Amino acid sequence: MTETNTLILENPLCIEPEIEELFSVPADTPKVTEAILVGQTNHERTSKLKAAEFIGRVLSGRLVEIDAVKRPIKSLLEALKLAKENDPVARALVEINAQTDIFERSVKTGAVLEPVTIAVPEPDALVQHDQALLSIQANSLLQMVDHPVMARRTEAETRNNFRLAELNKAGDLKDYSFVVFSLAEPIEEAGFFTETMSCSIQRIWSETNCLKLEPAFVSGVRAPNQERHDLDTVVKVYQYFGFNIEGKTPAEIIDTPILIPNRLIPNGIIDLVKLWDDCAGGTFFGETKPRQDYLNFLESNKARQANFNRLGKLVAHELIQEADYIDSIELACQRLAKISEKYAVLNAANDDSINIKVFGDQAAEHLSMTRQYLNQGDFEAAERTLNLAILTARSSSCPSISGSFNLIASSDQDSDEFGSLSFSCPQCGAINRRRPGRENFLKACQACAADVSCK
């Protein structure tokens, strides 16, 4: 770095010498010294103070309003109601949630998503489709408050939100990309697909009057049932840029973003995927597969994502049609998850590139038979096993990327010990929903008031 660089102070956080040693690297490790740890910029203290105040206000119930836009859409429920009234911004927000959800529900590794635009209407505000990103963080903080591991990750993501705002305000993202490595936790119940231990690599940079976010998904294991390599691989990635993060947890790695000069990654996120593969010993998107040309892969990946975007629009349309019968944020997220899962299973029946185990062992067995029947031309049998796959599917997504409202969208909560939480009215066909618990059985259809009580 030159002496004219404004990002670095000699000791911006007054780091003690023994702590500063954490960022030293063995002498024989190659270094790309132009990279910068965000935690060592002169914006870090301000970012952490703002984040701590925000987290405290959210968790204490003192957060009243997030004033990023004149009319912020605060929840998926609100977006659904507005979209049903033909609000184009609300519909776009529902669609991007659906598109992100179905993609992440289906594809856990080997993918690059199209860059997402993040508007900056005010110096401290980051917004997408009229939704302040801080509102996402507030929802996530409240959802994860009772889950220590996820709470730590969410707090780290919140700090990154404030870091981004400060760096962008100072103009420091014009020549640098803000890069975050988000590794999986070994806990399936939190929504992680532990067979691939997928890692999300996110790159954010500045363009005229906005930020762009580009994510990629790589595997943390070389093959199913093998030991995870991602913790060692990410250490080598950081060593390549001159930093030592050995021993850090996935949450602490999220909390340790890097500023990488754009000239070092001229092809964007795919250059970081290649670096990941190099550090993993020659994998392809983290897996033991023959290496492809990375730029050619990007072209083929575009067609795949276009298909998921089309499916996401179908999910959004069906969800919006149910808007009149959805009366809580929780229910809105559950219905998004369930409808998205249905379309994901339907798509997986014809797309052999999708790992059917993402839908759970039972559904995977049915999908495997469905694919066989389709290849044999036995469409009646294929339809039967496909319906069983939809009924037994148990998948999850983590659509915190690109503006989703819920941090973990699991489809598992569409029933309780008393049966399904949704059913069709025999009189008008409307989808009825009840809350969990025997006391919440419905007596009348929520649409036409016909008797739907159990006889």
Side-chain angles (χ1 to χ4, degrees), residues 38 70 83 85 136 150 180 192 208 249 273 280 342 361 375 416 440:
V38 174
K70 293 181 180 178
E85 298 172 1
I136 300 173
M150 296 305 297
V180 180
F192 295 100
T208 305
T249 65
V273 171
K342 177 182 71 174
D361 291 340
N375 288 333
D416 61 10
N440 293 318

Side-chain angles (χ1 to χ4, degrees), residues 255-276:
D255 214 4
T256 313
I258 317 176
L259 287 172
I260 300 175
N262 292 332
R263 64 180 183 78
L264 296 181
I265 46 174
N267 301 305
I269 196 74
I270 199 68
D271 289 334
L272 293 172
V273 171
K274 184 180 184 302
L275 176 60
W276 177 272

Side-chain angles (χ1 to χ4, degrees), residues 381-394:
E383 183 179 4
R384 184 169 61 250
T385 54
L386 182 57
N387 285 331
L388 289 172
I390 292 172
L391 287 172
T392 57
R394 294 293 181 269

